[in-house]
Amino acid sequence: MSRHVVSTEVNGRAYEREVESRQLLSDFLRHELGLTGTHVGCEHGVCGACTVLLDGAPVRSCLLFAVQSDGRKLATVEGLAPSVDELHPVQTAFRDAHALQCGFCTAGILMTMVPFLENNQNPTEAEVRAALSGNLCRCTGYQHIVDAVLLAAERMRSASA
Ligand code: FES
Ligand code: FES
């Protein structure tokens, strides 16, 4: 199998690795870079657990090859918190609204909701539910996740007012 050098930036840090052409981006992040915060559930684009940002847009890392990240910028859940002492406002809202149980889906949901809230600072509940529709959670029944996203939006609006 042919191999390729991939140069990419993840959470602001540059990485260069030689990978097999068919290595999935999700496996690259987890196995090559040790960024295991990105979870892999279905491995075929259905559950959303593996969502990361590619040049700022949410993508399913199980549907991309590592080589497709060459020369581009990735963001994973490990890069969300601004420091070890401070969480991202969406993470804080998830904690405060009890929006996770096992947590398997959480990283993918956070990486979907952060760009959603950047583009829509005052979403309705229906808009939040629509934005969450590609992320499966087997534990929570979604209500607390919706509450957390609305709480995060409210806090982020207050902080920027
Ligand atoms: S693991 Fe990628 S969408 Fe489910
Ligand atoms: S909290 Fe368990 S799958 Fe969502």
Side-chain angles (χ1 to χ4, degrees):
M1 184 162 306
S2 60
R3 296 181 68 83
H4 306 268
V5 173
V6 173
S7 300
T8 186
E9 188 180 303
V10 186
N11 303 328
R13 179 176 162 190
Y15 293 89
E16 187 170 286
R17 294 285 190 283
E18 188 180 294
V19 301
E20 289 187 353
S21 9
R22 292 185 58 81
Q23 182 172 51
L24 297 176
L25 180 58
S26 49
D27 289 340
F28 176 72
L29 290 169
R30 290 175 55 82
H31 303 153
E32 297 284 341
L33 307 187
L35 296 170
T36 53
T38 298
H39 291 166
V40 174
C42 67
E43 283 190 283
H44 61 114
V46 173
C47 73
C50 65
T51 304
V52 300
L53 304 186
L54 181 66
D55 292 337
V59 295
R60 304 200 160 202
S61 57
C62 73
L63 293 183
L64 290 172
F65 294 119
V67 291
Q68 291 175 281
S69 71
D70 187 44
R72 303 178 75 178
K73 293 185 181 178
L74 290 159
T76 68
V77 71
E78 287 90 346
L80 265 192
S83 74
V84 289
D85 303 318
E86 190 184 355
L87 294 174
H88 186 284
V90 183
Q91 291 174 307
T92 308
F94 268 61
R95 180 192 63 198
D96 295 347
H98 308 291
L100 59 139
Q101 290 181 28
C102 79
F104 194 86
C105 65
T106 309
I109 291 180
L110 292 172
M111 299 314 286
T112 306
M113 289 300 104
V114 166
F116 167 70
L117 289 176
E118 282 167 5
N119 291 323
N120 185 350
Q121 284 149 13
N122 195 7
T124 63
E125 177 170 340
E127 288 171 334
V128 171
R129 287 186 179 277
L132 281 169
S133 61
N135 291 80
L136 300 183
C137 174
R138 292 299 188 210
C139 302
T140 63
Y142 299 98
Q143 186 59 54
H144 288 284
I145 296 175
V146 173
D147 294 345
V149 176
L150 291 170
L151 177 63
E154 186 187 317
R155 288 177 175 171
M156 289 162 77
R157 282 197 308 277
S158 305
S160 63

Short mmCIF file of all heavy atoms in Angstrom, two decimals, residues 39-50 60-63, ligand 1:
data_model
loop_
_atom_site.label_atom_id
_atom_site.label_comp_id
_atom_site.label_asym_id
_atom_site.label_seq_id
_atom_site.Cartn_x
_atom_site.Cartn_y
_atom_site.Cartn_z
N HIS A 39 -14.21 10.38 19.32
CA HIS A 39 -14.67 8.99 19.45
C HIS A 39 -15.15 8.44 18.10
O HIS A 39 -15.54 9.19 17.22
CB HIS A 39 -15.81 8.92 20.47
CG HIS A 39 -15.36 9.18 21.87
ND1 HIS A 39 -16.21 9.46 22.90
CD2 HIS A 39 -14.10 9.21 22.39
CE1 HIS A 39 -15.51 9.63 24.02
NE2 HIS A 39 -14.22 9.50 23.73
N VAL A 40 -15.10 7.12 18.01
CA VAL A 40 -15.54 6.44 16.79
C VAL A 40 -16.64 5.47 17.18
O VAL A 40 -16.43 4.57 17.99
CB VAL A 40 -14.36 5.70 16.13
CG1 VAL A 40 -14.86 4.89 14.95
CG2 VAL A 40 -13.29 6.69 15.69
N GLY A 41 -17.83 5.70 16.62
CA GLY A 41 -18.96 4.84 16.93
C GLY A 41 -19.28 3.93 15.76
O GLY A 41 -18.89 2.78 15.72
N CYS A 42 -19.98 4.48 14.78
CA CYS A 42 -20.49 3.65 13.68
C CYS A 42 -19.47 3.38 12.58
O CYS A 42 -19.57 2.41 11.86
CB CYS A 42 -21.71 4.33 13.08
SG CYS A 42 -21.29 5.90 12.25
N GLU A 43 -18.51 4.31 12.43
CA GLU A 43 -17.49 4.24 11.36
C GLU A 43 -18.08 4.31 9.96
O GLU A 43 -17.43 3.91 9.01
CB GLU A 43 -16.64 2.97 11.49
CG GLU A 43 -15.60 3.07 12.57
CD GLU A 43 -14.62 1.93 12.53
OE1 GLU A 43 -14.97 0.81 12.96
OE2 GLU A 43 -13.50 2.15 12.05
N HIS A 44 -19.31 4.76 9.83
CA HIS A 44 -19.81 4.98 8.47
C HIS A 44 -20.71 6.21 8.34
O HIS A 44 -21.66 6.22 7.57
CB HIS A 44 -20.45 3.71 7.88
CG HIS A 44 -21.64 3.20 8.62
ND1 HIS A 44 -22.89 3.20 8.07
CD2 HIS A 44 -21.78 2.68 9.84
CE1 HIS A 44 -23.75 2.69 8.93
NE2 HIS A 44 -23.09 2.37 10.02
N GLY A 45 -20.39 7.22 9.12
CA GLY A 45 -21.00 8.52 8.88
C GLY A 45 -22.38 8.73 9.44
O GLY A 45 -23.05 9.70 9.08
N VAL A 46 -22.84 7.87 10.33
CA VAL A 46 -24.22 7.96 10.81
C VAL A 46 -24.34 8.61 12.19
O VAL A 46 -25.26 9.39 12.44
CB VAL A 46 -24.87 6.55 10.84
CG1 VAL A 46 -26.24 6.60 11.49
CG2 VAL A 46 -24.97 6.01 9.43
N CYS A 47 -23.41 8.33 13.10
CA CYS A 47 -23.64 8.69 14.50
C CYS A 47 -23.12 10.07 14.89
O CYS A 47 -23.57 10.64 15.88
CB CYS A 47 -23.03 7.64 15.42
SG CYS A 47 -21.22 7.67 15.51
N GLY A 48 -22.15 10.61 14.17
CA GLY A 48 -21.62 11.94 14.47
C GLY A 48 -20.61 11.98 15.60
O GLY A 48 -20.06 13.04 15.91
N ALA A 49 -20.32 10.84 16.23
CA ALA A 49 -19.40 10.83 17.37
C ALA A 49 -18.00 11.33 16.99
O ALA A 49 -17.27 11.87 17.82
CB ALA A 49 -19.30 9.42 17.95
N CYS A 50 -17.62 11.13 15.74
CA CYS A 50 -16.25 11.41 15.30
C CYS A 50 -16.09 12.82 14.73
O CYS A 50 -15.07 13.12 14.11
CB CYS A 50 -15.85 10.41 14.23
SG CYS A 50 -16.86 10.61 12.74
N ARG A 60 -17.19 14.60 9.45
CA ARG A 60 -17.12 13.28 10.10
C ARG A 60 -15.77 12.69 9.78
O ARG A 60 -15.50 12.35 8.63
CB ARG A 60 -18.24 12.40 9.58
CG ARG A 60 -19.51 13.15 9.83
CD ARG A 60 -20.76 12.44 9.84
NE ARG A 60 -21.60 13.36 10.56
CZ ARG A 60 -22.70 13.07 11.19
NH1 ARG A 60 -23.14 11.87 11.18
NH2 ARG A 60 -23.37 13.98 11.84
N SER A 61 -14.95 12.55 10.79
CA SER A 61 -13.57 12.13 10.51
C SER A 61 -13.50 10.67 10.09
O SER A 61 -12.47 10.24 9.54
CB SER A 61 -12.67 12.40 11.71
OG SER A 61 -13.14 11.76 12.87
N CYS A 62 -14.59 9.90 10.29
CA CYS A 62 -14.57 8.51 9.81
C CYS A 62 -14.87 8.42 8.32
O CYS A 62 -14.76 7.34 7.73
CB CYS A 62 -15.55 7.64 10.58
SG CYS A 62 -17.29 7.96 10.20
N LEU A 63 -15.27 9.54 7.73
CA LEU A 63 -15.58 9.54 6.29
C LEU A 63 -14.49 10.22 5.47
O LEU A 63 -14.65 10.39 4.26
CB LEU A 63 -16.92 10.25 6.02
CG LEU A 63 -18.17 9.56 6.55
CD1 LEU A 63 -19.41 10.35 6.13
CD2 LEU A 63 -18.27 8.12 6.06
S1 FES B 1 -18.04 7.20 13.80
FE1 FES B 1 -18.11 8.71 12.29
S2 FES B 1 -20.20 9.17 12.06
FE2 FES B 1 -20.17 7.52 13.46
#
